[in-house]
Amino acid sequence: MCLLSPLCVCCPHTVSVLHWTQRTADYVVPLYCFDPRHHLGTANYNLPCTGPFRLRFLLDSIQDVRASLLSRGSNLVVRRGRPEEVVGDLIKQLGSVSAVAFHEEVAPEDQKVERGVRDVCSQMKVKVYTCWGSTLYHRDDLPFNHLSRLPDVYTQFRMAVESKGRVRPVLPTPGQLKPLPPGSGLDEGPIPSPEELAQTEAVRDPRSAFPFSGGESQALARLQHYFWDTDAVATYKETRNGLIGPDYSTKFSAWLALGCISPRYIYQQIKKYESERTASQNTYWVIFELLWRDYFKFVGAKYGDRMFDIKGLQDKSIPWKTDMKLFNAWKEGRTGVPFVDANMRELALTGFMSNRGRQNVASFLTKDLGLDWRMGAEWFQYLLVDHDVSSNYGNWLYSAGIGNDPRENRKFNMIKQGLDYDNNGEYVRQWVPELQGIRGGDVHTPWTLSSSSLSHSQLTLEETYPSPIVMAPEWSRHVNRKLVGSGAGASARGRKGPSHTPKQHKDRGIDFYFSKSKNF
């Protein structure tokens, strides 16, 4: 008998640990543990580790795994408790466990749990089998002799794996699985409610760009929709910086974070799409982003605890502030900078924020407010439905200028970014309703409007909406150029445009972060 102890929810397409148990044992016990440590406070600022949106997504995913296993002759055993203790108790209860199998993770806290499980199994004379299965490129297939030689620049990593690495094929989904041991009296265990885990139920907001549920079934349906039903993937690179609606980007991240879908399966489907329909920079760019996800996983494996150190990967001392008044204004969307506030309110109300938004609010917290980057990272950890430890902390280190960034002093210009990606203010007005009376691009700089314009918009600064808590000098050069080719005023306010599907142009950033020296 084999005890399959997934530390994440697993998609069978590439789960070699599941295939290994099917080849090795007569009976298999799939297990999921709700670890109470996932509901404690974060390391530095004691924010909740898991928020309502990610918990709801997880509960949906667990329910989906159970239904999938039941349809294949198995079941999911659910327990609440520390995995190392739960595994020990089950080994004692079952009495004839030959092995415990699980996926390896890179985060130090996860590795601590893995060591605990290994120790219990060693004490009880039970073998342990582990595998690596969460990345597009397998750890053993990287063109580096050791992770210590992983490049510290993404482009170098990407070029190396694309030219010398290989993506392993997906594995067939088993039609039938080995059953639970008969006569063991093993109770499947209830899937807890959010309330039982001391959490509130997530409230769905109709404005959300992520109106999806957890689970492999939903992940596969999303891929079918985005690739094959709508061909949205054929314009991905052009629309990925959008802000409104579900289809400006793939939205695969939450399912990837939990293991509901495999990056290798997405890669396989991309290649199939390119073969059967069209291949372009748009389809390639999905793979490009999957490689960023891989890169941060391997960076996490290389640096370990340094991913969470205030000095970052560069061991750079920066006099970060811990001003809670500024932090509260940022996290509550009350900074007085509408593009920042809209993104932060979307996050708080839906658990999701666009990639464009994440880059901007991170730059604002670290570069404009000068706050400890870990405050932002831990807030994201709490609220993001798609939180992935390596990607979240890797991106925050990058934004703070102490991570995997070949250039220093990158900084976003909040006004230019708002005008570039929300040119008519549709996104801001959606999430900051007190600004709905301001038309066009003027909504990004309400503090510059005349008294009569503010009155006409039914807005009173410092009463109905705050003035900016900080002003950056580079903003001024864009205040009077609300739209490219249009001045502020009636012509700008009257202009309409599809702010939810922006096209790239030469004045926009192409990939990620903007240089302070260029004042973008």
Side-chain angles (χ1 to χ4, degrees):
M1 185 195 325
C2 184
L3 184 62
L4 174 62
S5 176
L7 300 180
C8 67
V9 184
C10 298
C11 163
H13 291 294
T14 56
V15 180
S16 58
V17 79
L18 177 62
H19 287 76
W20 180 84
T21 61
Q22 298 304 301
R23 296 192 308 266
T24 305
D26 294 326
Y27 306 106
V28 178
V29 180
L31 170 67
Y32 187 86
C33 299
F34 283 89
D35 191 332
R37 287 167 292 200
H38 293 169
H39 303 280
L40 300 177
T42 55
N44 299 291
Y45 294 97
N46 200 35
L47 300 171
C49 281
T50 304
F53 300 103
R54 189 162 73 257
L55 178 57
R56 170 40 58 197
F57 198 84
L58 171 64
L59 295 174
D60 292 341
S61 300
I62 297 299
Q63 190 68 56
D64 190 72
V65 168
R66 174 169 279 177
S68 179
L69 291 174
L70 283 169
S71 72
R72 293 172 168 82
S74 181
N75 199 353
L76 180 67
V77 174
V78 173
R79 295 291 185 267
R80 292 171 61 183
R82 297 180 176 228
E84 57 270 39
E85 297 173 359
V86 170
V87 168
D89 291 342
L90 283 174
I91 291 174
K92 291 178 183 177
Q93 178 183 347
L94 296 169
S96 58
V97 175
S98 59
V100 171
F102 56 83
H103 277 273
E104 295 179 46
E105 293 291 339
V106 301
E109 290 183 358
D110 293 333
Q111 291 182 336
K112 182 178 180 181
V113 174
E114 291 175 11
R115 288 193 297 272
V117 172
R118 290 177 185 274
D119 289 345
V120 167
C121 291
S122 175
Q123 294 166 13
M124 305 182 82
K125 311 300 182 185
V126 173
K127 295 180 180 179
V128 171
Y129 173 82
T130 66
C131 76
W132 181 272
S134 63
T135 52
L136 179 60
Y137 285 86
H138 194 283
R139 176 181 56 191
D140 296 341
D141 298 337
L142 294 177
F144 317 108
N145 292 334
H146 192 273
L147 277 176
S148 63
R149 297 190 176 183
L150 181 82
D152 285 329
V153 177
Y154 167 74
T155 301
Q156 296 173 7
F157 163 80
R158 178 181 61 80
M159 294 175 67
V161 296
E162 287 183 337
S163 62
K164 301 176 184 178
R166 70 181 183 96
V167 176
R168 296 185 181 187
V170 299
L171 300 173
T173 303
Q176 193 70 15
L177 297 174
K178 298 292 179 64
L180 299 181
S184 63
L186 191 61
D187 178 31
E188 67 174 11
I191 298 174
S193 67
E195 291 76 16
E196 290 172 320
L197 296 172
Q199 182 60 269
T200 58
E201 180 62 77
V203 177
R204 293 190 182 275
D205 192 301
R207 298 168 293 178
S208 177
F210 192 86
F212 307 110
S213 301
E216 182 197 17
S217 301
Q218 293 295 314
L220 296 178
R222 173 61 182 174
L223 187 147
Q224 175 69 28
H225 168 84
Y226 195 81
F227 284 17
W228 303 104
D229 295 344
T230 66
D231 289 308
V233 68
T235 57
Y236 170 72
K237 189 181 179 185
E238 300 167 16
T239 65
R240 76 190 194 283
N241 283 308
L243 301 167
I244 297 175
D247 285 346
Y248 63 77
S249 63
T250 67
K251 304 298 192 296
F252 293 151
S253 56
W255 291 295
L256 282 166
L258 278 185
C260 298
I261 194 169
S262 158
R264 280 157 53 193
Y265 181 74
I266 295 172
Y267 179 87
Q268 179 210 54
Q269 290 293 300
I270 281 284
K271 291 303 180 182
K272 182 180 179 183
Y273 185 92
E274 290 180 334
S275 173
E276 296 181 8
R277 296 197 179 175
T278 183
S280 67
Q281 277 289 298
N282 288 289
T283 51
Y284 166 72
W285 220 255
V286 177
I287 299 172
F288 182 92
E289 300 292 1
L290 288 175
L291 284 174
W292 262 110
R293 179 179 176 274
D294 266 23
Y295 182 58
F296 281 132
K297 283 278 187 186
F298 295 129
V299 167
K302 176 181 178 178
Y303 284 103
D305 284 327
R306 285 179 63 184
M307 289 280 285
F308 311 95
D309 190 274
I310 192 169
K311 294 183 178 181
L313 309 184
Q314 301 180 19
D315 196 30
K316 185 185 295 185
S317 295
I318 296 175
W320 301 110
K321 296 183 291 188
T322 56
D323 187 318
M324 293 308 295
K325 184 177 179 180
L326 291 178
F327 178 62
N328 287 336
W330 176 82
K331 71 183 181 68
E332 294 167 9
R334 295 185 295 100
T335 68
V337 183
F339 194 54
V340 173
D341 292 346
N343 277 287
M344 294 307 297
R345 294 186 192 188
E346 180 187 14
L347 174 63
L349 292 170
T350 70
F352 189 80
M353 186 193 297
S354 69
N355 180 58
R356 180 57 46 185
R358 297 181 200 201
Q359 295 174 59
N360 273 277
V361 301
S363 178
F364 185 77
L365 181 131
T366 58
K367 301 296 175 62
D368 288 304
L369 300 182
L371 293 176
D372 181 355
W373 65 272
R374 299 173 303 173
M375 300 173 86
E378 291 184 6
W379 185 248
F380 272 29
Q381 178 179 346
Y382 164 48
L383 278 180
L384 282 175
V385 68
D386 61 355
H387 179 258
D388 174 283
V389 175
S390 300
S391 292
N392 182 45
Y393 281 83
N395 273 304
W396 273 96
L397 288 167
Y398 196 106
S399 177
I402 53 177
N404 302 95
D405 190 351
R407 288 176 284 180
E408 295 184 356
N409 298 319
R410 294 180 187 248
K411 183 186 181 186
F412 279 83
N413 182 322
M414 294 299 114
I415 308 307
K416 184 179 189 300
Q417 287 282 297
L419 294 171
D420 276 353
Y421 295 99
D422 184 34
N423 59 355
N424 65 9
E426 180 183 355
Y427 174 73
V428 164
R429 282 186 291 274
Q430 176 167 282
W431 292 104
V432 189
E434 54 266 49
L435 300 180
Q436 286 181 350
I438 304 176
R439 300 179 61 194
D442 287 342
V443 76
H444 290 289
T445 54
W447 63 90
T448 68
L449 299 182
S450 65
S451 298
S452 60
S453 295
L454 289 172
S455 177
H456 181 73
S457 303
Q458 298 183 327
L459 181 68
T460 305
L461 291 178
E462 301 297 356
E463 292 184 14
T464 53
Y465 186 71
S467 296
I469 58 176
V470 65
M471 293 285 285
E474 65 268 19
W475 295 357
S476 61
R477 68 184 62 194
H478 299 286
V479 165
N480 295 318
R481 293 193 290 126
K482 296 295 194 294
L483 290 170
V484 175
S486 299
S491 61
R493 288 193 295 272
R495 178 170 172 172
K496 302 294 182 182
S499 64
H500 54 291
T501 55
K503 302 290 184 180
Q504 295 288 348
H505 61 69
K506 64 182 178 66
D507 293 326
R508 283 190 180 149
I510 296 175
D511 294 329
F512 297 96
Y513 288 76
F514 298 104
S515 167
K516 185 177 181 181
S517 62
K518 293 182 180 179
N519 284 318
F520 284 121

